[in-house]
Amino acid sequence: MTIYNFAAGPAVLPKPVLEQVQKELLDYDHSGMSILEISHRSQLFTDLYADTKARLKQLMNLGDDYDVLFLQGGATLQFTMVPLNIATKHHRAAYIDSGHWSVRAIEEAGKVPGVQADIVATSKASGYTEIPQFPDVLKDTYDYLHITTNNTIEGTAYQQLPQTTTPLVADMSSNFLGQQYDFTKFDLIYAGAQKNLAPAGLTIVVLKKQLLTDPNHPKNLPAMLDYTALANKDSALNTPPVFQIYMANLVLQWLETQGGVAGIAQLNQKKAALLYNFLDSSKLFNNPVKPAQRSLMNVPFLTPDKATDAKVIQAATAAGFLNLKGHRSVGGLRASIYNAMPFTGVEKLVNFLMDFEAQHQ
Amino acid sequence: MTIYNFAAGPAVLPKPVLEQVQKELLDYDHSGMSILEISHRSQLFTDLYADTKARLKQLMNLGDDYDVLFLQGGATLQFTMVPLNIATKHHRAAYIDSGHWSVRAIEEAGKVPGVQADIVATSKASGYTEIPQFPDVLKDTYDYLHITTNNTIEGTAYQQLPQTTTPLVADMSSNFLGQQYDFTKFDLIYAGAQKNLAPAGLTIVVLKKQLLTDPNHPKNLPAMLDYTALANKDSALNTPPVFQIYMANLVLQWLETQGGVAGIAQLNQKKAALLYNFLDSSKLFNNPVKPAQRSLMNVPFLTPDKATDAKVIQAATAAGFLNLKGHRSVGGLRASIYNAMPFTGVEKLVNFLMDFEAQHQ
């Protein structure tokens, strides 16, 4: 039976990449050593690191004014590091609240001593079924405006970026490299890698270099929480997660063969449209999100009752469609259809759901 | 040509473990998914996590009064997290300075607001060729006494633990599970995994549970820096490094087949003795460390001049003995002979060095 993994992350990875990892696992680049044993001070690694960074910047269309960090700790550690490093002039940060992960980002920012985190727009009232309206009235009072570009749990995503004169910061964890944005509009982007880039254990931070040399940059931050200290050592201030960086490199190479971010985003549109069109035409299933703001990556849906939800999940699991259970905070079902989910996987899922509906009328 | 990897970390891993990882890389436990794609919320992972923790505690002879966390960020992030979480009553911490990594731990502790980090003993004057003398006179003035059990760069290690009534905290990164200690003497042990346990990207924290419920535990720490918050979520407050935890599990299973920590420590004694005996008898090579305090894991050595050091490294590399260059801060050579380095590897290295010496007399 072919398995399709619809997990929200860690998630499905491209099959050819997994096969290459398996093939060369005992001997990386004719070194006689596994990539799992390679020193981060070796030429083998520093070459790999430079290549990975260059590929990522090229795929994002970013120039010399941006740097990339390959870190650990996930987006949750970035919730702290962002305000710690860059809420340093006004000591105030503006957050748009579009769901669960925005709330977490705001909570953690509020814990950073001396920083005030303000919610400047929220879609909480609608149950987060849309992206908040945001009329920019921030003026020069905030160090940054923070958005969550894709809301993994609620299934919404920004299709247009907010118009603002305040530096724009994004948690892009769940649609990083899966949806096309003008990445030069951001001052800082962070993303856990375990959706579209690599296995869990790697966090990407893409940021404008000028943030690293800002005169307000605080002295005496803990080294591992200091973007400048980390960038000065090419993310190898201590031992970086070598294997995840290696896998990110392979995934980026694979992404190039898919036509880069633009190419994969087009395919993702097609995959998402297939599923949303079915849900909108279904009498059993329903996606609650405002159509113009639906996520390309995470598609939550519901039946009229929990018992039927559970029945669908059970039958789907038996048929090889795995991890369709919705997040515990919202229930229902959710299909995460990241870059590595093939079109066929979505097609077969839709057929399965169609059959289920027909049989349960 | 057989390769022997003497890197200080990331380092050699047990061959049977690497072979098993390769074999099951596309299909973890008959799930139809790679371990690299497994959700940290799945039963597959939670079972693996519980098993890994149980094996580790058993290998360390630790009871229900200890908890284990599987984190990210390396020992360097622990340099901050330890004082942040447990220097909370006296706001003073005592550090024994036994080399480079002790110095880094002290530097980072000193940055934590409100914490005073005192050096209570140091072997700096001897060039760190020994473990400092430590007559405990601390009384009830410090929250903890911090030691670095094995000094990766200088090649020293504690053979006896300091006698103290102050809670004992250790950076055990480079001899964790490679040298036998009474682990119940410690209140907290932390270790980067990339020496004896797993590939880079995992940090182990073993700690007394009472530290997690201490009434002085600070409120409002960033979640990812808060031992209590992390422990309450079984290290899955956000996505943990699933692959590294899986590999740690396999390495622990392998360690059980080697007779556990006691068994491998005996073999490590044998490996180290072979190399030290040769160095002590050599007219060309010299290990500068006080014999009673030599590391079982990292063996630094020198020839009389840098040109010869370089020549040895070049010839060794050509013969398949890799990564023998000493740390940039001390120069010379260093052979790291962790658990996964077979006795044969050390034997062949000694033969190679012997031949080199004979040919260059």
Side-chain angles (χ1 to χ4, degrees), chain A residues 160-179:
Chain A
Q160 281 91 38
L161 298 176
Q163 295 296 319
T164 179
T165 54
T166 303
L168 190 61
V169 168
D171 176 359
M172 205 176 275
S173 291
S174 52
N175 67 347
F176 186 60
L177 306 181
Q179 179 162 353

Side-chain angles (χ1 to χ4, degrees), chain B residues 5-236:
Chain B
N5 178 7
F6 293 95
V12 59
L13 287 160
K15 196 80 173 182
V17 168
L18 292 174
E19 285 167 351
Q20 183 174 346
V21 173
Q22 183 180 45
K23 195 175 152 210
E24 64 194 27
L25 196 78
L26 299 186
D27 187 9
Y28 175 68
D29 201 11
H30 313 289
S31 66
M33 298 175 283
S34 170
I35 184 66
L36 300 165
E37 304 173 304
I38 295 289
S39 168
H40 61 302
R41 304 291 177 204
S42 66
Q43 191 70 42
L44 282 167
F45 176 74
T46 51
D47 288 352
L48 175 70
Y49 181 83
D51 186 67
T52 310
K53 187 161 149 177
R55 283 181 197 275
L56 181 59
K57 284 182 68 174
Q58 182 152 28
L59 282 160
M60 297 178 77
N61 271 316
L62 294 174
D64 277 347
D65 48 336
Y66 281 86
D67 205 346
V68 183
L69 303 175
F70 294 78
L71 307 179
Q72 299 180 63
T76 307
L77 189 55
Q78 294 310 312
F79 296 163
T80 298
M81 285 177 70
V82 166
L84 201 58
N85 281 269
I86 70 173
T88 54
K89 188 181 169 198
H90 303 292
H91 307 284
R92 286 179 76 184
Y95 282 77
I96 299 184
D97 168 25
S98 55
H100 177 94
W101 291 110
S102 301
V103 170
R104 287 289 294 121
I106 295 157
E107 273 174 20
E108 294 295 333
K111 290 179 182 177
V112 174
V115 172
Q116 184 183 323
D118 291 346
I119 298 175
V120 294
T122 177
S123 51
K124 191 178 177 180
S126 80
Y128 296 121
T129 53
E130 60 190 336
I131 295 295
Q133 296 285 333
F134 176 68
D136 186 5
V137 287
L138 298 183
K139 301 217 180 68
D140 189 32
T141 46
Y142 288 102
D143 286 304
Y144 60 86
L145 171 65
H146 180 285
I147 64 172
T148 312
T149 53
N150 184 84
N151 297 282
T152 328
I153 295 175
E154 297 84 359
T156 58
Y158 284 79
Q159 311 305 337
Q160 282 91 37
L161 298 176
Q163 295 296 318
T164 179
T165 53
T166 303
L168 190 60
V169 168
D171 176 359
M172 206 176 275
S173 292
S174 52
N175 67 347
F176 185 61
L177 307 180
Q179 179 162 353
Q180 184 71 291
Y181 291 114
D182 179 352
F183 297 109
T184 66
K185 297 287 184 209
F186 297 91
D187 287 63
L188 189 150
I189 295 166
Y190 61 92
Q194 67 276 11
K195 322 284 188 181
N196 277 324
L197 185 59
L202 175 65
T203 312
I204 299 294
V205 176
V206 175
L207 77 178
K208 280 198 177 153
K209 280 184 185 166
Q210 71 186 44
L211 291 173
L212 299 170
T213 52
D214 189 290
N216 294 312
H217 185 76
K219 311 274 171 274
N220 244 12
L221 288 180
M224 292 302 289
L225 305 183
D226 184 338
Y227 290 141
T228 304
L230 291 158
N232 287 343
K233 297 282 188 179
D234 275 338
S235 309

Side-chain angles (χ1 to χ4, degrees), chain A residues 13 22 37 111 221 244, chain B residues 13 22 37 73 111 221 244:
Chain A
L13 287 160
Q22 182 181 46
E37 304 172 304
K111 290 180 184 177
L221 289 181
Q244 275 82 351
Chain B
L13 287 160
Q22 183 180 45
E37 304 173 304
K111 290 179 182 177
L221 288 180
Q244 276 82 350

Side-chain angles (χ1 to χ4, degrees), chain A residues 47-59:
Chain A
D47 288 351
L48 174 71
Y49 181 83
D51 186 67
T52 311
K53 187 162 150 178
R55 283 181 198 274
L56 181 59
K57 284 181 68 175
Q58 183 152 26
L59 281 160

